[in-house]
Amino acid sequence: MTLWTLSLPKQLFKNKNLIDFGGGTGEKSLIYGLWGANVTIVEPNLISCDYAKTLFARYGLELNVINKSLFDFNMKQVNKYDIVV
């Protein structure tokens, strides 16, 4: 999987706090993590959350998962993230 279609250099993600709304099973977010981002996924589907945790662990990466709908997430918390996807 590649993300060069975003036209963003991977160095942009190094040591940044990133939140991915609707992160699903984490495949796209995994790339951000491999590029050095501290990733949080907000995902309402519990099965997808569990898969994402397993996927990140397979690559030795930590993942913060918030099992909520976008509509239930406290948007005031977004300020602590550098990148919002």
Side-chain angles (χ1 to χ4, degrees):
M1 178 178 298
T2 57
L3 294 178
W4 57 77
T5 58
L6 293 177
S7 300
L8 297 172
K10 64 182 179 179
Q11 296 83 0
L12 174 74
F13 296 89
K14 186 77 173 167
N15 298 317
K16 300 292 191 218
N17 294 317
L18 180 143
I19 189 164
D20 187 355
F21 289 99
T25 55
E27 286 91 352
K28 182 173 60 174
S29 298
L30 176 65
I31 301 299
Y32 303 137
L34 290 171
W35 287 353
N38 305 308
V39 179
T40 298
I41 289 177
V42 178
E43 171 59 45
N45 184 305
L46 183 58
I47 295 170
S48 293
C49 290
D50 290 341
Y51 184 89
K53 288 178 193 175
T54 301
L55 179 63
F56 269 67
R58 191 176 310 146
Y59 287 87
L61 298 173
E62 290 187 32
L63 174 66
N64 182 30
V65 175
I66 301 172
N67 182 221
K68 288 186 175 182
S69 164
L70 167 67
F71 303 107
D72 296 326
F73 183 78
N74 181 356
M75 285 299 172
K76 292 179 182 177
Q77 294 180 2
V78 169
N79 291 334
K80 60 183 187 177
Y81 296 95
D82 303 303
I83 302 170
V84 177
V85 178

